[in-house]
Amino acid sequence: MKKEIYLDHASTTYTDPRVLGAMLPYFSEKYGNPQSRHSKGKEALIAIDNAREKIAEILNCRPSEIIFTSGGTESNNLAIFGTARANQKKGKKIITSKIEHSSVIAPFKKLEKEKFKITYLDVDNEGFIDPRKLKKSIKHDTKLVSIMYANNEIGTIQKISKIGKICREKGIIFHTDACQAAGLNLNTQKLKVDLMSLNAGKIYGPKGIGILYKKREIKIEPIIYGGGQEMELRSGTHNVPAIVGIAKALEIAREEREKENNRLKELRNYLIEGILKIKDTHLNGPKANRLPNNINIYFEDIDADLLVLSLDEAGIYCSTASACKAQTTESSHVLSAIGLSENQAQSSIRFSLGKKTTQKDIDYTLKTLTQLIKKMRKY
Amino acid sequence: MKKEIYLDHASTTYTDPRVLGAMLPYFSEKYGNPQSRHSKGKEALIAIDNAREKIAEILNCRPSEIIFTSGGTESNNLAIFGTARANQKKGKKIITSKIEHSSVIAPFKKLEKEKFKITYLDVDNEGFIDPRKLKKSIKHDTKLVSIMYANNEIGTIQKISKIGKICREKGIIFHTDACQAAGLNLNTQKLKVDLMSLNAGKIYGPKGIGILYKKREIKIEPIIYGGGQEMELRSGTHNVPAIVGIAKALEIAREEREKENNRLKELRNYLIEGILKIKDTHLNGPKANRLPNNINIYFEDIDADLLVLSLDEAGIYCSTASACKAQTTESSHVLSAIGLSENQAQSSIRFSLGKKTTQKDIDYTLKTLTQLIKKMRKY
């Protein structure tokens, strides 16, 4: 059998068997529509109520502040379009950063066509925004700030509670995209966020399900209309198995977080140190305050696409940039924002470790990579 | 064990074990992101490509004309908002009917706030629209017609290809909500539709996945923006297991359609005849051109909510109205459109049969129902 070392967990993860186990009864046995009034419907309603309560406990919020969506992209779209359009009479200025995920940037590009004014904050060479600069950028008609919790490409973890504090003081709505951050602290009160996006497909849960935490006081406009599910904010028949699944995935993430993060950090540091022993290689992104599973490396004089394909042949799966944009030929806007040239960005690859990643996997990866780079540079 | 006779298949269905079986490998084994360039990603990409091709063959269209969404509600929203907004410079008039699903009506109510002018066509007392009236309603600045294929409450099957022909002649975009019609002919060329919504959760497939068929020439605007998946029309990581699932569900639906429809029609007619033997009961909706599994009955002097609950106690699960609106206390807009008073509507219930429904189930339902109505009318 072909070796398979999956180092692309930031792109998507397998579904944890415990999560799938929790979901399975809801496909063919407890298959009711939670909106139905009969027992079969109530059985499903109880399942999604329980999931909502469990998630609310993890996020330290009210169950009614959890909106189920079809994934991280929809959660980000709902947060951004929803807030911007519902509050536009009070102001059309919005602040975000230059390193957001495409599912945040693309809605902002669309809002610019609707006459919203978006400020894209610079980041430093490790990907951090400067909270003081953020504070200065806030005008009287700024209504929304959206800054991601942890970056999907270079792993930079922003000081979310500090940003939250500034926004609270200024009376501005604060959204964070936490799709890469489920392994971090998700306490919405401590983080001082008003809106927070999460999804399951990157945290060993099923694809096709996401959450938007929305603080009760915040008004948003739906993007999908119909039967009025999710407090009139997201219509459509509830995806019961997936809702059960995301709750279970978040529960497991919380339980295993500390131990798993420590394990991953050790493996990550070991891999980074090993790679940097190869001549003319550089770490992209921060040394501290970095996602425990993220590694992003610039290899001088190496075509990253070719390297990814060569690693693939050796059974090592990693990526050049965000998988969410992998079909485009543009180089990474994140790497560009931290100061890399287009050439440097196109010589950079990302490894993202996961639960099943072992020391042995990392050793094999290091060995293979060292040989490959040598060979590729020779030609 | 409590008797369980599920007669609410129009609300949602269980997932067919063959569908679930097809989906399972894509949770924890073939879990890649189709956007990833490595083998694990390609494995997933092949799966969704195969699903798309299979569906295209069933709908008699090009694979690139299939857009995967999170369900029927999103497909309807994307079709309606997408077409209306992308073509608004050419005209803001739209025609629909008074008996559409809430996921069609609610987007139109929203569009009215955006200065679109919506014509809601009357239906006759069986729920049919009059194609001649439709033709007359078309103005020079009418851009879109949206008429559902089969009604979820009373089962009326519209003459879709006739409506399609009128729209083609007039050069108007034609959308149909086919979420209840997967058991019928889905040949988009014969139906002459430009846009058609389908979902899996009502046809023994998984919840949380839908399709929008979009004829190549039709321009629409996305409602969810991000990484540019689905030909830039629906961003968000592909829900691979569910995509595999909807293809399998549609394949099974096509294979078993003829035999199963005949079986259901017999059971349906038997149940209708039996119920109509109870004094002062009336069939809502058509006798011919009715969904093979749909029964909707007005019981004089009966509180439908109470009847549904009493049937539930006897292990029979049915509904008062669309489950998608079951949480509201409004009476059905569909029953009102075919001429029932509010009181009559609130004395009406729907049974929708399914693959596992047996003659024995129907006999038990008839017996229970006859006794219950007698008892309820006595008090």
Side-chain angles (χ1 to χ4, degrees):
Chain A
M1 214 182 108
K2 197 187 158 193
K3 212 184 227 330
E4 276 206 350
I5 298 180
Y6 187 76
L7 299 179
D8 200 16
H9 292 82
S11 165
T12 192
T13 52
Y14 66 90
T15 303
D16 186 307
R18 291 168 290 179
V19 172
L20 186 57
M23 293 168 65
L24 280 178
Y26 295 92
F27 284 100
S28 307
E29 297 156 45
K30 304 177 181 181
Y31 56 82
N33 183 334
Q35 302 281 103
S36 297
R37 286 184 192 171
H38 49 64
S39 304
K40 208 77 193 155
K42 278 179 202 151
E43 185 177 65
L45 183 62
I46 289 169
I48 66 168
D49 280 350
N50 287 343
R52 210 185 291 276
E53 274 168 35
K54 197 187 283 174
I55 295 165
E57 193 232 309
I58 293 169
L59 306 191
N60 191 19
C61 68
R62 298 182 187 93
S64 60
E65 293 176 321
I66 302 294
I67 304 165
F68 291 113
T69 71
S70 70
T73 291
E74 190 189 332
S75 291
N76 282 335
N77 275 251
L78 179 56
I80 291 167
F81 285 129
T83 317
R85 290 178 184 155
N87 295 283
Q88 59 183 309
K89 278 178 190 162
K90 297 177 200 159
K92 296 192 99 167
K93 289 217 178 91
I94 296 170
I95 299 169
T96 186
S97 86
K98 285 191 175 160
I99 63 162
E100 299 297 312
H101 187 262
S102 56
S103 59
V104 165
I105 292 180
F108 282 134
K109 294 291 168 200
K110 168 72 176 152
L111 284 176
E112 283 177 344
K113 289 182 195 155
E114 297 175 21
K115 306 261 163 68
F116 285 86
K117 179 131 182 50
I118 320 292
T119 302
Y120 299 90
L121 287 179
D122 283 324
V123 293
D124 67 17
N125 61 11
E126 289 190 327
F128 293 102
I129 68 144
D130 181 345
R132 284 165 305 178
K133 277 193 195 158
L134 167 68
K135 202 170 175 174
K136 272 188 204 159
S137 306
I138 294 172
K139 311 287 175 207
H140 73 279
D141 51 351
T142 303
K143 277 310 300 172
L144 172 68
V145 168
S146 179
I147 302 288
M148 77 199 309
Y149 195 157
N151 185 270
N152 52 316
E153 294 190 37
I154 54 171
T156 313
I157 302 170
Q158 305 292 345
K159 292 182 186 68
I160 291 301
S161 61
K162 205 166 183 175
I163 301 168
K165 195 162 165 266
I166 294 170
C167 292
R168 289 267 153 102
E169 283 166 8
K170 298 271 190 180
I172 286 163
I173 301 168
F174 177 38
H175 165 249
T176 192
D177 169 8
C179 288
Q180 295 286 336
L184 308 176
N185 187 336
L186 293 179
N187 184 331
T188 53
Q189 306 309 309
K190 280 202 178 160
L191 293 170
K192 297 186 177 66
V193 293
D194 299 312
L195 298 148
M196 182 164 80
S197 308
L198 280 165
N199 67 358
K202 304 202 193 287
I203 57 166
Y204 308 95
K207 295 176 172 67
I209 185 78
I211 289 168
L212 179 64
Y213 157 75
K214 184 188 76 65
K215 198 172 192 284
R216 187 161 56 171
E217 297 84 347
I218 306 299
K219 280 208 180 109
I220 64 170
E221 196 181 284
I223 51 180
I224 295 176
Y225 294 78
Q229 286 90 343
E230 295 302 285
M231 299 74 77
E232 302 281 334
L233 293 173
R234 208 301 185 175
S235 292
T237 301
H238 289 102
N239 188 348
V240 184
I243 289 172
V244 169
I246 192 170
K248 186 74 183 169
L250 280 167
E251 198 184 14
I252 294 173
R254 180 179 60 173
E255 276 166 23
E256 301 183 346
R257 189 166 69 191
E258 210 180 314
K259 205 174 151 192
E260 179 62 5
N261 281 354
N262 288 333
R263 194 185 76 84
L264 286 172
K265 267 182 205 166
E266 265 188 46
L267 285 178
R268 179 198 66 188
N269 293 344
Y270 177 83
L271 180 53
I272 292 178
E273 281 162 28
I275 295 178
L276 293 181
K277 280 182 191 147
I278 302 171
K279 227 179 70 176
D280 301 328
T281 59
H282 312 271
L283 179 68
N284 296 325
K287 275 174 205 73
N289 294 315
R290 181 182 193 113
L291 281 177
N293 74 332
N294 174 289
I295 293 151
N296 195 314
I297 304 280
Y298 158 42
F299 297 89
E300 289 183 27
D301 304 318
I302 289 290
D303 179 324
D305 282 326
L306 200 62
L307 180 55
V308 165
L309 289 179
S310 306
L311 284 167
D312 183 67
E313 274 173 31
I316 299 166
Y317 306 143
C318 63
S319 72
T320 45
S322 160
C324 306
K325 283 185 69 181
Q327 301 301 312
T328 71
T329 51
E330 285 170 53
S331 69
S332 158
H333 67 287
V334 175
L335 297 180
S336 162
I338 61 168
L340 272 72
S341 70
E342 197 166 322
N343 269 338
Q344 289 170 331
Q346 285 170 356
S347 296
S348 296
I349 71 173
R350 176 187 73 183
F351 300 98
S352 44
L353 318 185
K355 276 195 210 178
K356 285 185 184 166
T357 310
T358 62
Q359 179 69 43
K360 216 174 132 192
D361 293 341
I362 300 295
D363 283 327
Y364 174 76
T365 302
L366 258 178
K367 197 180 131 200
T368 311
L369 192 59
T370 310
Q371 288 168 351
L372 266 175
I373 297 290
K374 212 176 202 170
K375 212 169 104 189
M376 285 171 76
R377 282 193 179 141
K378 207 178 269 172
Y379 295 103
Chain B
M1 216 182 106
K2 196 188 158 194
K3 211 183 226 335
E4 277 206 349
I5 298 179
Y6 187 77
L7 299 179
D8 199 16
H9 292 82
S11 166
T12 192
T13 51
Y14 66 90
T15 303
D16 186 307
R18 291 168 289 178
V19 172
L20 186 57
M23 293 170 65
L24 280 178
Y26 296 92
F27 284 101
S28 307
E29 297 156 44
K30 304 178 181 182
Y31 56 83
N33 183 335
Q35 301 280 106
S36 298
R37 287 185 191 170
H38 48 65
S39 304
K40 207 77 193 155
K42 277 177 203 151
E43 185 177 65
L45 182 62
I46 289 168
I48 66 169
D49 280 351
N50 287 344
R52 210 186 291 277
E53 274 168 36
K54 197 187 283 175
I55 295 165
E57 192 232 311
I58 293 169
L59 305 191
N60 192 18
C61 68
R62 299 181 186 94
S64 60
E65 293 175 321
I66 302 294
I67 304 166
F68 291 113
T69 71
S70 70
T73 290
E74 188 189 332
S75 291
N76 283 336
N77 274 251
L78 179 57
I80 291 167
F81 285 130
T83 317
R85 290 177 184 154
N87 296 284
Q88 58 183 306
K89 278 180 191 161
K90 296 179 203 158
K92 296 191 100 171
K93 289 218 179 90
I94 296 170
I95 299 169
T96 185
S97 87
K98 285 192 175 159
I99 62 162
E100 299 297 312
H101 188 263
S102 56
S103 60
V104 165
I105 292 180
F108 282 135
K109 293 292 169 198
K110 168 73 175 150
L111 285 176
E112 283 177 345
K113 290 182 193 156
E114 298 176 19
K115 309 257 164 73
F116 285 85
K117 179 125 183 50
I118 320 293
T119 302
Y120 299 90
L121 287 179
D122 283 325
V123 294
D124 66 19
N125 61 9
E126 291 190 326
F128 293 101
I129 69 145
D130 180 345
R132 283 164 306 176
K133 278 193 193 158
L134 167 68
K135 202 171 178 176
K136 272 188 202 158
S137 306
I138 294 172
K139 310 288 175 206
H140 74 279
D141 50 353
T142 302
K143 277 310 299 175
L144 173 66
V145 168
S146 179
I147 301 287
M148 77 199 306
Y149 196 155
N151 185 270
N152 52 316
E153 294 189 38
I154 54 172
T156 313
I157 301 169
Q158 304 292 345
K159 293 184 186 67
I160 291 300
S161 61
K162 204 164 182 178
I163 301 168
K165 195 165 166 260
I166 294 171
C167 293
R168 289 267 154 101
E169 283 167 8
K170 296 273 189 176
I172 288 163
I173 301 168
F174 177 39
H175 165 248
T176 191
D177 169 8
C179 288
Q180 295 286 338
L184 307 177
N185 187 337
L186 294 179
N187 184 331
T188 53
Q189 306 308 311
K190 280 201 179 163
L191 293 170
K192 298 187 177 64
V193 293
D194 298 312
L195 297 148
M196 182 165 78
S197 308
L198 280 165
N199 67 359
K202 302 198 195 289
I203 57 166
Y204 309 94
K207 294 175 172 67
I209 186 78
I211 290 167
L212 179 64
Y213 157 75
K214 184 188 77 64
K215 197 173 192 281
R216 187 161 58 173
E217 296 83 348
I218 306 298
K219 278 205 183 112
I220 64 169
E221 197 181 283
I223 51 179
I224 295 176
Y225 294 78
Q229 285 90 343
E230 296 301 285
M231 298 75 78
E232 303 280 334
L233 293 173
R234 208 301 186 173
S235 292
T237 301
H238 288 100
N239 188 350
V240 183
I243 289 172
V244 169
I246 193 171
K248 186 74 183 170
L250 279 168
E251 198 185 13
I252 294 173
R254 179 180 59 175
E255 275 166 22
E256 300 183 347
R257 188 167 70 194
E258 210 180 314
K259 207 174 151 194
E260 178 63 4
N261 281 353
N262 288 335
R263 194 186 74 87
L264 286 172
K265 267 182 207 168
E266 266 187 47
L267 285 178
R268 179 199 66 187
N269 294 345
Y270 177 82
L271 180 53
I272 293 177
E273 281 163 30
I275 294 177
L276 293 181
K277 281 183 192 148
I278 303 171
K279 226 179 71 177
D280 301 327
T281 59
H282 312 271
L283 180 68
N284 296 324
K287 276 177 205 74
N289 293 317
R290 180 181 194 115
L291 281 177
N293 74 331
N294 175 288
I295 293 149
N296 194 315
I297 304 279
Y298 158 44
F299 297 89
E300 288 182 29
D301 304 318
I302 290 289
D303 180 324
D305 283 326
L306 199 63
L307 180 57
V308 165
L309 289 178
S310 307
L311 285 166
D312 183 66
E313 273 172 33
I316 299 166
Y317 307 142
C318 63
S319 72
T320 45
S322 160
C324 307
K325 283 186 72 184
Q327 301 301 311
T328 71
T329 52
E330 286 169 54
S331 71
S332 158
H333 67 286
V334 175
L335 297 181
S336 163
I338 61 169
L340 271 71
S341 70
E342 199 167 322
N343 269 338
Q344 290 171 329
Q346 285 170 356
S347 297
S348 296
I349 71 173
R350 177 187 72 184
F351 300 96
S352 44
L353 318 184
K355 275 194 209 179
K356 284 184 184 167
T357 310
T358 63
Q359 179 69 41
K360 218 174 130 193
D361 293 342
I362 300 295
D363 283 327
Y364 174 75
T365 302
L366 259 178
K367 198 179 128 198
T368 311
L369 192 59
T370 309
Q371 288 168 350
L372 267 174
I373 298 288
K374 214 176 201 172
K375 212 168 104 190
M376 285 173 75
R377 282 193 180 143
K378 208 179 270 173
Y379 295 103

